[in-house]
Amino acid sequence: MARPSRKNEILQAALACFTEFGVDATTIEMIRDRSGASIGSLYHHFGNKERIIAALYLAGTGEYAELLEQGFSTANSAEACVKLLVTSYIDWVAANPDWARFILHSRGRVEASERGDELREANRLHFQRIFEALSGYREQGLFKVMPADCFASVIIGPTHDFARNWLAGRTQTELADCRQLLAQVAWESVRANP
């Protein structure tokens, strides 16, 4: 197995520090100590803490987008694509709860940072890819008519809300145990009435 890159080691150390101490209380020195990287290496890869925050955020959302893209390559129906949006999200959050918590609480900070435009562009491309994957099914009339900018929220909204509560420890049910239920709810919310 390949050794993780120094950049990835720094990001994972930052995530561990953010989880343990909070984003604001974490210092560059704490990240350096946890990662074992030299201060030169840390500054070479990122420059400052805000850039580490943005890089960690973009890496996490990029992982989810990759998981979704892999799923789209095998999903062969409108129902499979809609359910994939939910199950991929649940799978990623359940496998990466600390990272998911960080992402949920850091979006505004990243949007306001020097990498905000990069985040907006990544989100635009992500949603464009989703709409491309579903456009043929939409043209066939397999989905309820609704504004395009509402469509993704209708699909992922309940899952996102439950995941937030699960990440905060406010649920008795495990997120993964709701995987099929939430996927079915999403499908029933957007499919055209027979």
Side-chain angles (χ1 to χ4, degrees):
M1 182 145 108
R3 182 180 186 277
S5 70
R6 173 55 76 193
K7 190 173 181 178
N8 189 54
E9 288 174 344
I10 294 168
L11 289 177
Q12 291 308 309
L15 178 59
C17 289
F18 296 155
T19 299
E20 186 174 345
F21 305 109
V23 174
D24 290 330
T26 296
T27 65
I28 287 283
E29 291 74 25
M30 293 162 85
I31 296 169
R32 180 184 51 79
D33 288 346
R34 179 80 53 110
S35 69
S38 69
I39 199 72
S41 178
L42 198 142
Y43 280 102
H44 166 75
H45 288 296
F46 300 105
N48 61 38
K49 187 171 95 171
E50 290 304 314
R51 289 181 183 163
I52 293 171
I53 291 167
L56 185 60
Y57 187 99
L58 290 165
T61 56
E63 268 197 15
Y64 166 68
E66 271 183 42
L67 188 62
L68 198 55
E69 191 61 37
Q70 290 168 4
F72 278 141
S73 69
T74 59
N76 58 4
S77 69
E79 181 177 356
C81 286
V82 167
K83 288 182 174 182
L84 174 71
L85 291 168
V86 171
T87 58
S88 294
Y89 181 80
I90 289 172
D91 293 347
W92 191 85
V93 169
N96 302 283
D98 291 339
W99 210 346
R101 253 183 235 97
F102 166 80
I103 287 171
L104 285 172
H105 297 292
S106 300
R107 181 179 180 141
R109 189 172 188 152
V110 176
E111 284 180 332
S113 78
E114 66 187 55
R115 293 188 72 185
D117 288 340
E118 188 178 343
L119 170 59
R120 285 182 282 281
E121 179 63 8
N123 285 338
R124 187 191 70 75
L125 292 172
H126 177 68
F127 284 108
Q128 177 182 327
R129 178 60 188 112
I130 291 170
F131 285 112
E132 286 171 1
L134 299 173
S135 66
Y137 302 121
R138 184 184 302 279
E139 289 166 9
Q140 294 173 42
L142 298 177
F143 299 125
K144 290 176 184 171
V145 176
M146 67 181 72
D149 52 359
C150 282
F151 191 77
S153 293
V154 169
I155 290 172
I156 206 70
T159 302
H160 181 70
D161 186 62
F162 189 82
R164 277 187 22 244
N165 285 313
W166 178 77
L167 288 166
R170 294 188 296 257
T171 66
Q172 294 178 359
T173 307
E174 286 297 317
L175 178 60
D177 293 344
C178 296
R179 189 176 186 272
Q180 296 309 318
L181 170 66
L182 289 167
Q184 187 63 34
V185 166
W187 170 238
E188 290 172 5
S189 297
V190 298
R191 73 177 178 146
N193 294 324

